[in-house]
Structure formats: C-alpha cells, structure tokens
Amino acid sequence: DVKVTQSSRYLVKRTGEKVFLECVQDMDHENMFWYRQDPGLGLRLIYFSYDVKMKEKGDIPEGYSVSREKKERFSLILESASTNQTSMYLCASSFRGAYEQYFGPGTRLTVT
Amino acid sequence: ILNVEQSPQSLHVQEGDSTNFTCSFPSSNFYALHWYRWETAKSPEALFVMTLNGDEKKKGRISATLNTKEGYSYLYIKGSQPEDSATYLCASTGYNNNDMRFGAGTRLTVKP
C-alpha cells in the first residue's frame, strides 16, 4: 500500500515563527505536492515537485517555500508564519505521468 | 464554468437512504475526473478515476457517472450507512497531469 505520512497532525505556532511541515512517501513517486484546504474552498496547490531539487509554484505560493533534497521527502516551509496561514495542509504524491495522487492525513496548523 | 464546483455543500441523511451529489467542472482541456472520500482524521482515499464521456464506475454501494460534454459527474450512494459519513471531493485533471483542480467537497453525514 502507498503510504504518505506527515510529521504532525496538529501544530500550533505563533505569528512570525518559522514553520516546517514534513511529508514522506514510501512508493518511490517522482511527483510530490503541497495543498492547503480552507472551509468552503477546494484544495489549493501551493507548490509541487517533479524531481529531487526541482520545484514549481502552484496557485498560492506566496509566503511559502519548499525543499526536496531526497526523493521521498518534501518539506513545506513557512518563513514567517501569519494568522492567514492557519489551515489544513495536505501532502500528496504520484508517479510521473500518472494522474492519481495519494494523500497524507493532513496537518492542521493554527497560527496565533 | 471556470472552477470545479460541488453541490450540495453538506448533506444529512438517514441510514438506508440513497443519495447523490454533483460535481461540475470545466469541459475544455479535460482529461480525467477524480472522486475521493475523506474521512475525518484519515487521508483522502481515491474512489474513482474516469476519463471517457459516459463512463460509469461502481464500487460496492457507490457509483459514479461522467458527462464530459456538459462538464458534470454524479456520485451515488445506495443504502447509506454511518460508515459512509465523510467529505467527498471531486477533482478535474487537465492534459498537464499536475493541474488537478478540486471542488470544495460535499460533507455527508449518515445518521443511524
């Protein structure tokens, strides 16, 4: 079974803190994605990566950066957390050329 | 339709009722339509992927249909059970498989 894990289920951080959200997949997928989900909105793509050290901006990259140093791991970084980044963050992965994505359980981040 | 839209936003049914919800998506540049089930505290789980106009897929009591010409898909649940309670997400994929657009989801609650 494909497994995508995220480092935390719940996280509470203060405004201005640097926040790291980690995602690990165990299926040797080339593609990895970070989304956020807010009430009443669909999942919105923040960044994705199609290979180690490669990254592409999604629809809402402002205030975020990513790191992919190893194939199995994709990190989302909030350089200086703000209250409008309070959200559910979902990581996903897929094979290159495949359209089915496999999701982690999500990290609910609260920035106070 | 520019975005993926789902209706209703939420639904409460009694155990044993059959129910259905709708996903509308842009029909231009369409490649595939995905349905996911997202139970609380779990990862979104893929239910169906459909690509062809007229496609119908079935998994147990859940089935889905696809109309690519008019840009909609229906998800049907026959004889709802409490374990069907979840948020059902649909997503449309364009020819670039990184471009997956999600609806806001339909939250289904099945009361025993």
Side-chain angles (χ1 to χ4, degrees):
Chain A
D1 277 351
V2 175
K3 196 160 186 184
V4 181
T5 56
Q6 295 183 227
S7 51
S8 306
R9 291 303 318 277
Y10 299 95
L11 209 51
V12 180
K13 294 292 181 180
R14 292 188 182 274
T15 301
E17 279 193 83
K18 191 168 185 176
V19 182
F20 292 88
L21 302 182
E22 302 279 338
C23 175
V24 178
Q25 50 92 7
D26 66 359
M27 280 301 291
D28 205 34
H29 285 167
E30 291 85 9
N31 299 333
M32 295 189 76
F33 307 84
W34 274 107
Y35 294 91
R36 64 178 279 178
Q37 201 238 4
D38 299 292
L41 298 176
L43 270 65
R44 291 181 292 167
L45 183 64
I46 305 171
Y47 268 98
F48 67 94
S49 169
Y50 52 87
D51 206 344
V52 175
K53 297 192 185 295
M54 307 302 285
K55 61 184 179 184
E56 295 268 350
K57 292 180 180 179
D59 296 323
I60 51 165
E62 296 79 19
Y64 303 94
S65 62
V66 290
S67 172
R68 188 140 181 231
E69 296 297 317
K70 293 185 178 181
K71 190 175 186 180
E72 67 271 19
R73 188 180 297 269
F74 191 34
S75 302
L76 181 69
I77 304 154
L78 287 66
E79 294 290 342
S80 177
S82 63
T83 54
N84 63 13
Q85 293 178 309
T86 291
S87 188
M88 170 71 83
Y89 290 88
L90 281 165
C91 175
S93 68
S94 72
F95 285 116
R96 180 174 297 140
Y99 38 70
E100 185 171 358
Q101 295 183 15
Y102 296 84
F103 285 87
T107 295
R108 186 167 292 283
L109 172 67
T110 302
V111 183
T112 60
Chain B
I1 297 171
L2 297 179
N3 297 315
V4 177
E5 297 171 359
Q6 291 186 247
S7 62
Q9 188 173 353
S10 66
L11 197 52
H12 290 74
V13 301
Q14 289 294 135
E15 182 175 355
D17 287 351
S18 294
T19 187
N20 66 85
F21 3 107
T22 306
C23 173
S24 302
F25 56 89
S27 52
S28 61
N29 193 35
F30 171 83
Y31 184 69
L33 192 284
H34 311 250
W35 281 102
Y36 287 86
R37 174 169 59 202
W38 190 7
E39 295 179 67
T40 302
K42 294 186 178 179
S43 305
E45 171 199 359
L47 286 173
F48 305 114
V49 179
M50 295 179 287
T51 56
L52 300 176
N53 186 45
D55 257 356
E56 292 188 29
K57 294 279 177 90
K58 188 175 181 182
K59 186 184 287 189
R61 294 178 290 99
I62 304 177
S63 60
T65 60
L66 179 66
N67 182 322
T68 61
K69 292 182 180 179
E70 297 181 40
Y72 65 84
S73 174
Y74 293 132
L75 188 80
Y76 301 91
I77 302 179
K78 186 177 178 182
S80 303
Q81 299 296 309
E83 57 265 30
D84 295 329
S85 296
T87 296
Y88 291 82
L89 299 173
C90 79
S92 170
T93 306
Y95 282 101
N96 173 356
N97 68 304
N98 294 324
D99 187 22
M100 189 179 251
R101 300 286 167 175
F102 285 84
T106 292
R107 185 172 183 85
L108 174 68
T109 303
V110 182
K111 300 174 186 176

